[in-house]
Amino acid sequence: PACGCSGSRARMVSLRLQKRLASSVLKCGKGKVWLDPNEINEISMANSRQNIRKLVKDGYVIRKPVTIHSRSRVHRKNAAKRKGRHMGIGKRRGTANARLPSKIIWVRRIRVLRRLLHKYRESKKIDRHLYHTLYLKCKGNVFKNKRTLIEFIHKAKAEKSREKSLNDQAEARRMKSRAARERRAARLEEKRGTTSEKVEDTPQDAPAAPAGEGEKKKKTKAKKAAA
């Protein structure tokens, strides 16, 4: 044909094979392969992977760089969201429990409380009996945060020390009264011993004669005198 454009199309060389081989060698898609337009004839002669590797080494076939997809705007918006921007009523799509489940809140809270109890038990600040009581109270949702748990521990320890001091005072009073009773008993025993010794030292009087013997003696004396 007389048209010049059709002649230029006839002279075009198909490089589909070279692109496919280059994508296999460079381990990328065919769209990422760049063929040097000034070296079309030499590239078209390459019909094996070895030839393609040589062209890559010479710089006639290149793997295009990754297209930059900037995240700067995303980072900027996320930083604003951390400050609370763009988080109003109009931006929320799910319910409050869907956005932050109540179970997640519970798990976080109970882990904080149990970690504190474990640390206090290991450091001997609370004994195992108080630990067990507080563990069950935490499970029963008695403490809403760590501060209330610490306050309860301080109150429980103060109450326990007060009871201990009261018991010690009562025991001291009991011991004192017991010692006083023992001293009193010892004094009484000593007095009884002294009294018995005095009784033993005093001389005993002669035994009194029976009631009828005196009259019999008098009658006997009178008879003798008459005789």
PDB file of all heavy atoms in Angstrom, residues 112-113 116 119 143-151:
ATOM      1  N   VAL A 112      -5.240  -6.616  85.420  1.00  0.00           N
ATOM      2  CA  VAL A 112      -4.524  -5.630  86.243  1.00  0.00           C
ATOM      3  C   VAL A 112      -4.656  -5.976  87.721  1.00  0.00           C
ATOM      4  O   VAL A 112      -3.673  -5.972  88.481  1.00  0.00           O
ATOM      5  CB  VAL A 112      -5.059  -4.215  85.957  1.00  0.00           C
ATOM      6  CG1 VAL A 112      -4.567  -3.228  86.989  1.00  0.00           C
ATOM      7  CG2 VAL A 112      -4.644  -3.755  84.568  1.00  0.00           C
ATOM      8  N   LEU A 113      -5.891  -6.301  88.156  1.00  0.00           N
ATOM      9  CA  LEU A 113      -6.121  -6.591  89.572  1.00  0.00           C
ATOM     10  C   LEU A 113      -5.408  -7.878  90.001  1.00  0.00           C
ATOM     11  O   LEU A 113      -4.785  -7.937  91.070  1.00  0.00           O
ATOM     12  CB  LEU A 113      -7.632  -6.710  89.842  1.00  0.00           C
ATOM     13  CG  LEU A 113      -8.459  -5.450  89.563  1.00  0.00           C
ATOM     14  CD1 LEU A 113      -9.926  -5.719  89.822  1.00  0.00           C
ATOM     15  CD2 LEU A 113      -7.985  -4.280  90.391  1.00  0.00           C
ATOM     16  N   LEU A 116      -1.716  -7.352  90.341  1.00  0.00           N
ATOM     17  CA  LEU A 116      -1.386  -6.658  91.595  1.00  0.00           C
ATOM     18  C   LEU A 116      -1.434  -7.617  92.785  1.00  0.00           C
ATOM     19  O   LEU A 116      -0.538  -7.605  93.652  1.00  0.00           O
ATOM     20  CB  LEU A 116      -2.364  -5.502  91.814  1.00  0.00           C
ATOM     21  CG  LEU A 116      -2.169  -4.703  93.101  1.00  0.00           C
ATOM     22  CD1 LEU A 116      -0.889  -3.892  93.025  1.00  0.00           C
ATOM     23  CD2 LEU A 116      -3.354  -3.794  93.357  1.00  0.00           C
ATOM     24  N   LYS A 119       1.602  -9.833  92.762  1.00  0.00           N
ATOM     25  CA  LYS A 119       2.807  -9.113  93.173  1.00  0.00           C
ATOM     26  C   LYS A 119       2.825  -8.909  94.689  1.00  0.00           C
ATOM     27  O   LYS A 119       3.872  -9.087  95.335  1.00  0.00           O
ATOM     28  CB  LYS A 119       2.858  -7.762  92.451  1.00  0.00           C
ATOM     29  CG  LYS A 119       4.154  -6.989  92.695  1.00  0.00           C
ATOM     30  CD  LYS A 119       4.214  -5.748  91.854  1.00  0.00           C
ATOM     31  CE  LYS A 119       3.260  -4.693  92.377  1.00  0.00           C
ATOM     32  NZ  LYS A 119       3.426  -3.400  91.689  1.00  0.00           N
ATOM     33  N   PHE A 143     -14.156  -4.606  92.947  1.00  0.00           N
ATOM     34  CA  PHE A 143     -13.233  -3.486  92.767  1.00  0.00           C
ATOM     35  C   PHE A 143     -13.273  -3.020  91.314  1.00  0.00           C
ATOM     36  O   PHE A 143     -13.084  -3.818  90.395  1.00  0.00           O
ATOM     37  CB  PHE A 143     -11.813  -3.907  93.134  1.00  0.00           C
ATOM     38  CG  PHE A 143     -11.727  -4.579  94.479  1.00  0.00           C
ATOM     39  CD1 PHE A 143     -11.414  -5.917  94.571  1.00  0.00           C
ATOM     40  CD2 PHE A 143     -11.992  -3.869  95.630  1.00  0.00           C
ATOM     41  CE1 PHE A 143     -11.347  -6.546  95.795  1.00  0.00           C
ATOM     42  CE2 PHE A 143     -11.936  -4.487  96.862  1.00  0.00           C
ATOM     43  CZ  PHE A 143     -11.610  -5.826  96.944  1.00  0.00           C
ATOM     44  N   LYS A 144     -13.494  -1.728  91.127  1.00  0.00           N
ATOM     45  CA  LYS A 144     -13.602  -1.218  89.756  1.00  0.00           C
ATOM     46  C   LYS A 144     -12.243  -0.836  89.171  1.00  0.00           C
ATOM     47  O   LYS A 144     -12.117  -0.714  87.951  1.00  0.00           O
ATOM     48  CB  LYS A 144     -14.539  -0.012  89.708  1.00  0.00           C
ATOM     49  CG  LYS A 144     -14.054   1.201  90.472  1.00  0.00           C
ATOM     50  CD  LYS A 144     -15.044   2.338  90.315  1.00  0.00           C
ATOM     51  CE  LYS A 144     -14.553   3.590  91.033  1.00  0.00           C
ATOM     52  NZ  LYS A 144     -15.495   4.709  90.860  1.00  0.00           N
ATOM     53  N   ASN A 145     -11.242  -0.613  90.034  1.00  0.00           N
ATOM     54  CA  ASN A 145      -9.904  -0.310  89.528  1.00  0.00           C
ATOM     55  C   ASN A 145      -8.872  -0.675  90.594  1.00  0.00           C
ATOM     56  O   ASN A 145      -9.213  -1.148  91.680  1.00  0.00           O
ATOM     57  CB  ASN A 145      -9.774   1.170  89.117  1.00  0.00           C
ATOM     58  CG  ASN A 145     -10.204   2.115  90.205  1.00  0.00           C
ATOM     59  OD1 ASN A 145     -10.006   1.835  91.385  1.00  0.00           O
ATOM     60  ND2 ASN A 145     -10.804   3.216  89.824  1.00  0.00           N
ATOM     61  N   LYS A 146      -7.613  -0.427  90.263  1.00  0.00           N
ATOM     62  CA  LYS A 146      -6.531  -0.819  91.147  1.00  0.00           C
ATOM     63  C   LYS A 146      -6.513   0.019  92.423  1.00  0.00           C
ATOM     64  O   LYS A 146      -6.149  -0.465  93.497  1.00  0.00           O
ATOM     65  CB  LYS A 146      -5.204  -0.684  90.395  1.00  0.00           C
ATOM     66  CG  LYS A 146      -4.030  -1.339  91.075  1.00  0.00           C
ATOM     67  CD  LYS A 146      -2.881  -1.564  90.110  1.00  0.00           C
ATOM     68  CE  LYS A 146      -2.243  -0.269  89.706  1.00  0.00           C
ATOM     69  NZ  LYS A 146      -0.997  -0.494  88.947  1.00  0.00           N
ATOM     70  N   ARG A 147      -6.915   1.280  92.328  1.00  0.00           N
ATOM     71  CA  ARG A 147      -6.875   2.163  93.497  1.00  0.00           C
ATOM     72  C   ARG A 147      -7.808   1.663  94.600  1.00  0.00           C
ATOM     73  O   ARG A 147      -7.434   1.621  95.779  1.00  0.00           O
ATOM     74  CB  ARG A 147      -7.268   3.585  93.079  1.00  0.00           C
ATOM     75  CG  ARG A 147      -7.250   4.584  94.229  1.00  0.00           C
ATOM     76  CD  ARG A 147      -7.582   5.971  93.707  1.00  0.00           C
ATOM     77  NE  ARG A 147      -8.850   5.995  92.988  1.00  0.00           N
ATOM     78  CZ  ARG A 147     -10.036   6.071  93.591  1.00  0.00           C
ATOM     79  NH1 ARG A 147     -10.124   6.107  94.910  1.00  0.00           N
ATOM     80  NH2 ARG A 147     -11.143   6.106  92.869  1.00  0.00           N
ATOM     81  N   THR A 148      -9.025   1.274  94.225  1.00  0.00           N
ATOM     82  CA  THR A 148      -9.964   0.776  95.237  1.00  0.00           C
ATOM     83  C   THR A 148      -9.472  -0.519  95.865  1.00  0.00           C
ATOM     84  O   THR A 148      -9.667  -0.748  97.067  1.00  0.00           O
ATOM     85  CB  THR A 148     -11.343   0.551  94.598  1.00  0.00           C
ATOM     86  OG1 THR A 148     -11.210  -0.339  93.477  1.00  0.00           O
ATOM     87  CG2 THR A 148     -11.944   1.864  94.122  1.00  0.00           C
ATOM     88  N   LEU A 149      -8.815  -1.362  95.069  1.00  0.00           N
ATOM     89  CA  LEU A 149      -8.271  -2.608  95.622  1.00  0.00           C
ATOM     90  C   LEU A 149      -7.167  -2.317  96.637  1.00  0.00           C
ATOM     91  O   LEU A 149      -7.118  -2.922  97.721  1.00  0.00           O
ATOM     92  CB  LEU A 149      -7.740  -3.496  94.494  1.00  0.00           C
ATOM     93  CG  LEU A 149      -7.039  -4.784  94.905  1.00  0.00           C
ATOM     94  CD1 LEU A 149      -7.950  -5.652  95.751  1.00  0.00           C
ATOM     95  CD2 LEU A 149      -6.561  -5.550  93.690  1.00  0.00           C
ATOM     96  N   ILE A 150      -6.284  -1.364  96.321  1.00  0.00           N
ATOM     97  CA  ILE A 150      -5.195  -1.024  97.240  1.00  0.00           C
ATOM     98  C   ILE A 150      -5.760  -0.441  98.533  1.00  0.00           C
ATOM     99  O   ILE A 150      -5.296  -0.755  99.642  1.00  0.00           O
ATOM    100  CB  ILE A 150      -4.213  -0.051  96.564  1.00  0.00           C
ATOM    101  CG1 ILE A 150      -3.491  -0.755  95.401  1.00  0.00           C
ATOM    102  CG2 ILE A 150      -3.198   0.489  97.552  1.00  0.00           C
ATOM    103  CD1 ILE A 150      -2.640   0.155  94.568  1.00  0.00           C
ATOM    104  N   GLU A 151      -6.791   0.425  98.413  1.00  0.00           N
ATOM    105  CA  GLU A 151      -7.408   0.992  99.609  1.00  0.00           C
ATOM    106  C   GLU A 151      -8.024  -0.106 100.480  1.00  0.00           C
ATOM    107  O   GLU A 151      -7.896  -0.086 101.715  1.00  0.00           O
ATOM    108  CB  GLU A 151      -8.481   2.013  99.212  1.00  0.00           C
ATOM    109  CG  GLU A 151      -7.918   3.300  98.629  1.00  0.00           C
ATOM    110  CD  GLU A 151      -9.013   4.240  98.174  1.00  0.00           C
ATOM    111  OE1 GLU A 151     -10.212   3.858  98.273  1.00  0.00           O
ATOM    112  OE2 GLU A 151      -8.690   5.347  97.717  1.00  0.00           O
TER     113      GLU A 151
END
